[in-house]
Amino acid sequence: MAERLDRAQGLGGNRAGARRRLGGALWRRPRLKGASLLSPPVLAFVLVYVAALVALFVSSLWTVDSFTGLTIHSWTLDNFRELWHGAAYHTVAVRTILIAAAVTVTDAIIAFPFAYFMARLAGPRLRAVLFVLVLLPLWASYLARVYAWQLILNSDGLLNWSLGKLGLPAANLAYTNTAMWIVFSYIWLPFMILPVYAALERIPHSYIEASRDLGAKSGRTLRSVILPLALPGIVAGSIFTFSLTLGDYITPVLVGGTSSQFIGNVVYDSVNGAGNLPFGAAFAVVPVLVMGAYLLVARRLGAFEAL
Amino acid sequence: MTKRMWALVAILAVGLAFPAAGVTKSSGGTLNMIAWEGYTQAQWVKPFEKSTGCTVHAKYAGSSDEMVTLMRSGGGSQYDMVSASGDASLRLIYGKDVQAIDPTKIPDFKNFGKTFQSPPNNTVGGKHYGISLQWGPNTLLYNTKKVSPAPTSWAAIYSPKYKGKVTVPDNPIQIADAALYLMKTQPSLGIKDPYELNSTQFNATINLLKKQKPLIKKYWATAGQEISDFKNGNVVIGASWPYQTNTLVADKAPVKDLVPKEGATGWLDTWMVSSHTKNLDCAMKWLSWISTPKVQAQQAIFFGETPVNSKACAIMDKLSKGSCAQYHANAPLKYFKQIHFWKTPIADCGNGQKNCMDYTKWQSAWTALKG
């Protein structure tokens, strides 16, 4: 063996030797090995992701000449001042955050029993079927699913038709904020179910048995054992549902009503409409800050251990 | 001569012959255009490319605002031409994004309706920044089964009778529709032109729109959205284009449209040439081609709008019977008096005063209105 290695070294010459020395050096210094392994992805991350964020922030400090449409590259906080003083922008930001929160809570409430059944009660075959059912909507285009909801909620759509058959008054849901809430909750539900399922599945059965042995009824076991252990999963799912809703701008156009603008719509209008990229960038900083705060809270609740 | 020399002569001969053939074929170049979808159909682009050797590359834009943004992207040298509507054209002219051209070089220019030779949305200070193309009115569309008596006035979309069943376009230029209504119904405001509003007139208009908002089901974003809303009963009345009416009528939906007694706003599109184009020759050839009666008629019928060339009428009727009258291509001058064509609101009121609300103000007011 040693002889063969030596011969190989002899044949390969200096290059193989250098490679071996490098390997040895890395083996002796694990930190160096870690750094050299991590640096390409970290570099890509910094260049693509952080640089984009920095560019966004920098351009939010510029303005646009309303007459010629050219960007004026001088530093000013005018865009943020306009955001701060414009009542309409407050309404839009608050609406976006509230609907994102409502969607998150709704999804958590729907996802928990579903994920619990999948993780702890269903047999392996039924579980596989349920998995497919949860993921099935993700195979269809996002737009197709929103349009499907339009068909349901329209004046003479499926919902009102069913209500009419039951002798109930028609629900006027087309183009309302309620419609947005329903559609968002439906669209992002799989992103809540999966992490909650993962968290619930990891709870050892012995914990639940121990709780029962100590005399806890099922309600108490749920409150004191299962929920606290599932919480990181719920929080992880909420990061998806909250951030995905926060950044959306298509659903408000398609199913929202006359007062349904999201932050994304105002950004879209100011970039594509007014050609005012700096103002759009300034408004886009708002969801970045909101998500930053949200992630800090989520980290304290242990969400990242469940991802 | 040696063999080698014969070969050389042969190569030279071939070399001389081919470029000569090539020159007649492609004197042209490439025209990069920004257009409304449907404005560069193969039906009339292919024959143009064949006869001139100029190649057309079109990019469709979704809104006037997007057209302005695209024309300015990359220092303005990316696109040679744009089919700008009236709410974009002045922005491009004052932004120096487009150049003045000589209309006498366009053979069909003399056949244009008088209204369309020097309209204020593409002619500034006697200079023609492009030539008019096609136009259409913004009409009042209603469901004949649900709306009775038949409306005659824009008041129908400002009165609570059809609350929750009204739709209007999601576009800042829609402010002009409300201003036009006030111009006729509240003469004390002194509105002379729905696109030139001082702050008092502007605020009165925005107030009218704020009162209208609770009546509205949806500010429509695309023509397709309005069509499906009329079909499925979400709305019964609203501001529209003839295109929607034609599509709905073709689908046997019970709808009708009209230009109400107050008149209407309208769009008038202009082919404009970039200030930075390197293909002025091809661009001028395109302007000539697109204004010929046949192409004018083809485009009018394809898109459902009205040609500016008065000679297109006969060809339209040949292509689709009765289409000339249907699109008012033969309308008398007084018909145009009631159409107020889109133009970009600018600070200059046209009366020497500079206190009018410019388009930026219109845009932020529209965003605030939607809230």
Side-chain angles (χ1 to χ4, degrees), chain A residues 108-181:
Chain A
I109 292 172
I110 298 173
F112 186 81
F114 193 93
Y116 185 84
F117 182 82
M118 263 170 75
R120 311 207 66 92
L121 302 176
R125 184 170 292 179
L126 181 59
R127 183 182 297 169
V129 171
L130 289 175
F131 250 117
V132 171
L133 285 180
V134 168
L135 294 176
L136 200 60
L138 296 182
W139 298 358
S141 146
Y142 168 98
L143 271 180
R145 285 178 290 151
V146 180
Y147 280 126
W149 272 99
Q150 273 194 341
L151 292 179
I152 296 173
L153 299 173
N154 277 337
S155 276
D156 55 3
L158 186 64
L159 177 70
N160 282 349
W161 179 82
S162 316
L163 288 173
K165 289 275 168 200
L166 296 169
L168 295 168
N172 236 335
L173 285 181
Y175 300 136
T176 56
N177 285 347
T178 317
M180 280 206 294
W181 167 65

Side-chain angles (χ1 to χ4, degrees), chain A residues 59 61-74 76 78-79 270-271 274-280, chain B residues 72 360:
Chain A
S59 59
L61 297 169
W62 292 334
T63 48
V64 160
D65 185 324
S66 71
F67 195 61
T68 57
L70 298 174
T71 308
I72 304 165
H73 298 243
S74 61
T76 164
D78 280 358
N79 290 323
S270 56
V271 175
N276 195 341
L277 182 78
F279 184 76
Chain B
R72 287 173 179 170
T360 321

Side-chain angles (χ1 to χ4, degrees), chain A residues 215-238:
Chain A
K217 297 225 168 67
S218 43
R220 181 69 199 267
T221 307
L222 182 72
R223 272 200 313 280
S224 307
V225 180
I226 299 176
L227 262 184
L229 288 170
L231 189 67
I234 297 173
V235 176
S238 80

Side-chain angles (χ1 to χ4, degrees), chain A residues 3-18 20-21:
Chain A
E3 199 185 64
R4 252 170 71 190
L5 264 178
D6 280 339
R7 211 184 298 154
Q9 202 178 5
L11 282 172
N14 277 337
R15 265 178 71 189
R20 268 178 63 166
R21 275 198 299 282

